[in-house]
Amino acid sequence: MPSFSQKTYAQRGEEHAHPLVKALFATMERKQSNLSLAADVSSKAELLALADTVGPYICVLKTHIDVVSDFDADLVKQLQALAAKHDFLIFEDRKFADIGNTVKLQYGGGIYRIADWAHITNCHVIPGEGIIQGLAEVGMPKGRGLLLLAEMSSAGMLATGAYTDKNVEMAIANDFVIGFIGSRRFTEERDLITMTPGVGLHASGDALGQQYRTPKKIITENGSDIIIVGRGIYGPGKDAVAEAKRYREAGWTAYLDRLGHK
Ligand code: BMP
């Protein structure tokens, strides 16, 4: 059987059982994009402007909703409208890390009500499998999906070896899990997607431990599925649309190279 990395996104979408993953692969194929924008901006106006201008080039908009200083319910409504207009999914990078009962409250309630609007969210499995079960109780009925942080991109990160292996085991065993944050393909047992942050075409890192690798390394060599790019697209002095086009092209070319379509 060919590795999932050798199949097209379209084929994987057709064969996948999870409607959300089917929708994601279909979007990727339609837009020829395996690019996710990490929209780490601190105002509602900036976030909406970025989502609207870069939206046509991405498959997933990744948010940190708690960095938006003037968050309100209307922001979420407008983000959902932009997701429909430009055909992308929303991933709230919440990194839940508490016991099952607490994360249920955090995911479904509070000010942000993440489960109501984010198609995808993620968690650390430090508390054990109960965190997945708690999140699933809220997210499964809404058709949402969860990524496990099997690895991180930053220098000295502790998610390695047996800890990473445990993430993979838990992902395989839980239907609510659709994949991982990490740097590579982790398993062939079922089609779990990998989304990779810490991607840059030029910089090698920042002053706070971030480390960047190229789309070619991540997609072609490591078999990851989606590149997550933040400051490489909208950093100081950058033309966000031009950079988004450049990263989309680099990510897609790396994917075609992996399939052997030179
Ligand atoms: P940038 O491309 O500007 O470095 O942004 C990376 C984004 O990915 C940030 O939103 C960060 O929170 C997230 N991220 C990461 O950098 N490394 C990880 O291991 C996990 C992340 O979610």
Side-chain angles (χ1 to χ4, degrees), residues 2-19:
S3 158
F4 290 109
S5 313
Q6 293 303 309
K7 294 186 177 187
T8 63
Y9 295 136
Q11 189 180 357
R12 290 167 64 188
E14 279 161 26
E15 292 170 1
H16 213 285
H18 198 304

Side-chain angles (χ1 to χ4, degrees), residues 37-40 62-64 91 93-95 122 124 149 151-154 157 181-182 195-200 206 210-213 228-234:
L37 171 71
D40 297 342
K62 188 176 83 62
T63 55
H64 279 300
F91 164 23
D93 187 3
R94 173 61 177 76
K95 298 189 179 70
N122 57 355
H124 293 288
L149 283 130
E151 290 174 342
M152 293 195 71
S153 61
S154 40
M157 63 95 186
I181 294 294
M195 297 182 53
T196 305
V199 173
D206 69 11
Q210 177 67 296
Q211 307 176 112
Y212 293 115
R213 290 144 302 176
I228 300 174
V229 183
R231 289 164 288 177
I233 289 177
Y234 58 79

Side-chain angles (χ1 to χ4, degrees), residues 23-41:
L24 174 57
F25 280 131
T27 290
M28 292 166 75
E29 197 65 48
R30 250 191 321 269
K31 297 177 82 173
Q32 304 219 326
S33 175
N34 53 15
L35 172 64
S36 169
L37 171 71
D40 297 342
V41 288

